[in-house]
Amino acid sequence: MTTTNCTHAKDIKKVVLGDGPISINEVIAVARYGAEVSFTREYCNRVDESRSLIDRFLQENRVIYGVTTGFGSNVTKVISPEDAETLQRNIIRSHAVSVGEPLEKEVVRAIQLMILVNLGQGYSGVRLQVLELIASLLNHDIVPFAPGDGSVGYLSPESHMALVLIGEGKAWKDGEFIPGAVVLEKAGLAPVTLGPKEGLALISGTTSATAMAALALYNGIQAAKTADITGAMSLEVLKGTIHAFDPRSHKLKKHGEQAKTARNVSRILEGSQIIDTYKDYRLQDALSLRCIPQIHGAIKRALKDAEATIENEMNSASDNPIIYPDGADGTALMGGNFDGSFVGIYTDMMCIALANLAKITERRIDRLVNHHHSELPNFLVANPGLNNGYMVPQYTAAGLLNEIRVLTQPATIDNVPTCANQEDVISFSYFASKKAYQISKKLEYILAIELMTATQAMDFHHPLKPAPITEKVYRLIRSKVPTVKEDRFFHPDIEVIKGQIHEGELTKLVELEMGEMEF
């Protein structure tokens, strides 16, 4: 199941783990919109069976990394069964060292959900009791404090979250920031004492990188669809020629996303008097208009490739060691499934794709506000000079684009060995995903500015009528953002339009009129 053809995340009220793969939309439903989390009987059985293997391993005194040994380069230190609980508590306390501003609520919730999905595969040996407590935190809207800076791929933010499970650390509940033990008591929950393997399992794996990747991907796919709408509106009000979207041209390129994008724009603009009037106004337009199918299409291809990889990672077991049910005895497989290279490389690629979408969008904004290109009043205000109009929102888009370009520097090409060189190759997938998430949110603002300026430009085309679909988009914007006749405080306008994009109101409106947009 992909984000391109399933129920909107906001409409998913319950997410049941255990019977099949989890989708991106289900992650968003839990992380952003508070959907309830529960487990199937199959999920519970898998977890219980995996835990029974850990009990067997302990009885047989098997040497297993992180269960009867220390961690990292301390793997050579044997830990007695009597010290097993202390070992697991110590790893949580000692690894909770990320710093800086706390991760956003939806990021923390997405990570918690990824932990449940990862450990619920039945290859980690944790008790069901521990996973039920994490689900309870989600369902009681308890948000553990987790500083977001300083992770090389995993471990530290997850450790801060795990502190709450043992009655330590801090968390938010109903707007209060309170100690972990107190927040559990207020919710009628009891802390757990972590047993063998459980501390390690809670903080290992790709859960934080994958969670942020899922959030970034959802935002990115929604942004790419939105860009087809905002790009179509810009083409319309800038007297662009629809001839560049002729399907005969696009079928000659062997990239399906290009032709789909051209069809999206053509369908959005059907019935436009403005488009019909100016279809032969110039021989061909600037690239930011003429190459919408090619550039938007390439971005969508990259996002679809990232989507396949991220969904694979979401539904994989990324723990170490893997507790494998190999016959009645089982075995512990010590390996590297915690490595985040798949997620990191593809979120680095997502950064590049989203930066390209920001780039073409900012160029259209400049054409909208620049009277040398738009043939409309300068900065889209009737009395320029006395009024600045939309002069400076283009500055904002340029500033955001600069920030996005800096964030597009790949994280995964770097390497700083850790743990006394035992961990000598580091994925840095955490920051790759974090960058993609940050870029996706900045991109929403750039799209909001394009939509705001294109809507204003449409006012200068009366009495020519826009396409029925773009007219509905115009009315959606004008329901919250009135026509600019003289300068006012524009920041709230940008925020409200960004909210309409972020919540999917814009794409929902368009798809109600023309059916699902092709992706």
Side-chain angles (χ1 to χ4, degrees):
M1 184 182 297
T2 69
T3 58
T4 57
N5 61 2
C6 61
T7 305
H8 192 284
K10 190 184 293 187
D11 299 325
I12 301 172
K13 304 304 180 185
K14 294 185 178 183
V15 173
V16 183
L17 303 180
D19 283 345
I22 190 170
S23 70
I24 299 286
N25 273 11
E26 288 173 317
V27 175
I28 304 303
V30 173
R32 185 169 295 173
Y33 298 114
E36 180 185 341
V37 177
S38 62
F39 308 144
T40 64
R41 173 46 52 191
E42 176 61 27
Y43 179 103
C44 299
N45 289 342
R46 288 198 304 261
V47 170
D48 288 341
E49 289 168 8
S50 180
R51 183 63 195 180
S52 69
L53 291 177
I54 289 288
D55 294 337
R56 176 188 288 271
F57 297 165
L58 290 170
Q59 291 173 3
E60 296 171 355
N61 291 319
R62 297 196 198 182
V63 178
I64 300 169
Y65 172 73
V67 178
T68 56
T69 75
F71 305 112
S73 67
N74 284 331
V75 65
T76 57
K77 308 297 182 181
V78 177
I79 306 299
S80 69
E82 293 77 22
D83 290 328
E85 290 181 0
T86 301
L87 177 70
Q88 301 303 315
R89 183 175 66 247
N90 284 350
I91 192 174
I92 298 301
R93 288 175 172 172
S94 65
H95 285 50
V97 292
S98 53
V99 296
E101 294 297 314
L103 294 171
E104 295 179 35
K105 176 179 177 179
E106 70 174 13
V107 174
V108 173
R109 289 178 61 84
I111 295 171
Q112 290 175 303
L113 180 63
M114 285 299 96
I115 291 170
L116 292 180
V117 174
N118 180 35
L119 303 187
Q121 300 284 334
Y123 300 107
S124 293
V126 300
R127 289 168 298 156
L128 184 62
Q129 175 190 4
V130 177
L131 304 185
E132 288 175 332
L133 182 55
I134 297 173
S136 293
L137 295 186
L138 287 168
N139 294 337
H140 283 82
D141 200 25
I142 295 170
V143 183
F145 168 75
D149 296 341
S151 174
V152 298
Y154 54 100
L155 298 175
S156 295
E158 293 91 336
S159 295
H160 281 278
M161 296 178 203
L163 284 172
V164 176
L165 300 177
I166 61 175
E168 300 180 13
K170 286 192 171 184
W172 283 271
K173 170 64 175 169
D174 298 330
E176 288 188 275
F177 185 49
I178 49 183
V182 176
V183 80
L184 292 177
E185 184 179 3
K186 280 177 172 283
L189 303 171
V192 293
T193 299
L194 297 177
K197 179 68 167 59
E198 292 177 336
L200 176 62
L202 287 170
I203 67 174
S204 189
T206 66
T207 49
S208 56
T210 304
M212 286 188 288
L215 291 166
L217 178 65
Y218 182 87
N219 291 348
I221 290 175
Q222 191 156 259
K225 287 185 173 184
T226 299
D228 284 359
I229 301 167
T230 62
M233 287 186 71
S234 292
L235 181 77
E236 185 175 35
V237 297
L238 288 169
K239 305 177 183 177
T241 174
I242 198 68
H243 295 319
F245 297 81
D246 190 314
R248 292 173 296 181
S249 172
H250 299 292
K251 75 178 182 180
L252 299 179
K253 264 290 189 94
K254 304 301 181 183
H255 304 296
E257 294 77 19
Q258 175 179 323
K260 290 175 182 179
T261 301
R263 285 195 294 270
N264 283 344
V265 173
S266 296
R267 289 164 65 202
I268 289 167
L269 294 176
E270 281 180 6
S272 170
Q273 289 182 359
I274 303 171
I275 283 290
D276 187 58
T277 299
Y278 294 108
K279 63 184 177 183
D280 297 314
Y281 185 69
R282 59 178 66 91
L283 188 62
Q284 61 182 20
D285 293 308
L287 299 184
S288 58
L289 299 174
R290 188 185 354 146
C291 290
I292 287 174
Q294 290 82 1
I295 296 172
H296 288 200
I299 291 157
K300 292 171 187 174
R301 177 71 262 171
L303 292 175
K304 287 163 77 171
D305 289 345
E307 180 178 34
T309 298
I310 291 163
E311 286 197 329
N312 281 344
E313 188 68 37
M314 282 165 40
N315 292 286
S316 298
S318 62
D319 201 0
N320 177 52
I322 296 292
I323 308 305
Y324 198 81
D326 191 12
D329 291 338
T331 188
L333 303 174
M334 268 93 35
N337 274 11
F338 54 83
D339 180 80
S341 294
F342 278 100
V343 172
I345 289 169
Y346 275 87
T347 47
D348 269 342
M349 183 183 72
M350 280 174 56
C351 291
I352 294 171
L354 297 180
N356 275 275
L357 192 55
K359 176 178 73 175
I360 188 174
T361 304
E362 184 279 327
R363 286 294 78 208
R364 292 195 296 258
I365 293 168
D366 181 68
R367 301 192 79 81
L368 285 163
V369 302
N370 185 338
H371 72 98
H372 297 292
H373 299 301
S374 70
E375 302 176 10
L376 298 169
N378 210 15
F379 307 120
L380 298 173
V381 67
N383 188 13
L386 178 63
N387 293 288
N388 296 293
Y390 284 140
M391 177 194 296
V392 182
Q394 186 266 331
Y395 293 27
T396 303
L400 289 166
L401 180 57
N402 175 255
E403 294 171 17
I404 287 171
R405 283 171 173 159
V406 172
L407 289 170
T408 301
Q409 168 69 24
T412 54
I413 61 174
D414 198 2
N415 189 51
V416 180
T418 59
C419 202
N421 223 47
Q422 172 75 357
E423 297 167 2
D424 57 346
V425 179
I426 303 299
S427 73
F428 287 113
S429 60
Y430 177 89
F431 190 53
S433 294
K434 187 178 180 182
K435 291 190 302 98
Y437 180 58
Q438 292 171 342
I439 288 172
S440 73
K441 294 189 292 180
K442 294 176 189 293
L443 175 58
E444 290 176 337
Y445 280 111
I446 298 177
L447 290 166
I449 293 169
E450 181 178 22
L451 188 53
M452 180 177 71
T453 51
T455 299
Q456 178 76 2
M458 195 172 284
D459 284 322
F460 295 102
H461 281 280
H462 297 318
L464 290 177
K465 292 187 68 63
I469 289 177
T470 56
E471 185 174 15
K472 285 188 178 294
V473 173
Y474 173 91
R475 290 176 181 170
L476 174 67
I477 302 307
R478 285 287 175 254
S479 69
K480 300 293 178 85
V481 177
T483 298
V484 176
K485 296 181 180 178
E486 59 183 17
D487 285 349
R488 63 169 185 261
F489 183 31
F490 292 133
H491 172 263
D493 297 347
I494 298 171
E495 289 289 349
V496 76
I497 298 172
K498 181 261 185 185
Q500 291 172 326
I501 292 170
H502 185 74
E503 293 299 321
E505 292 178 43
L506 186 66
T507 53
K508 183 177 182 180
L509 172 69
V510 170
E511 291 187 329
L512 282 173
E513 294 299 315
M514 63 178 253
E516 185 174 358
M517 296 177 68
E518 296 186 74
F519 193 84

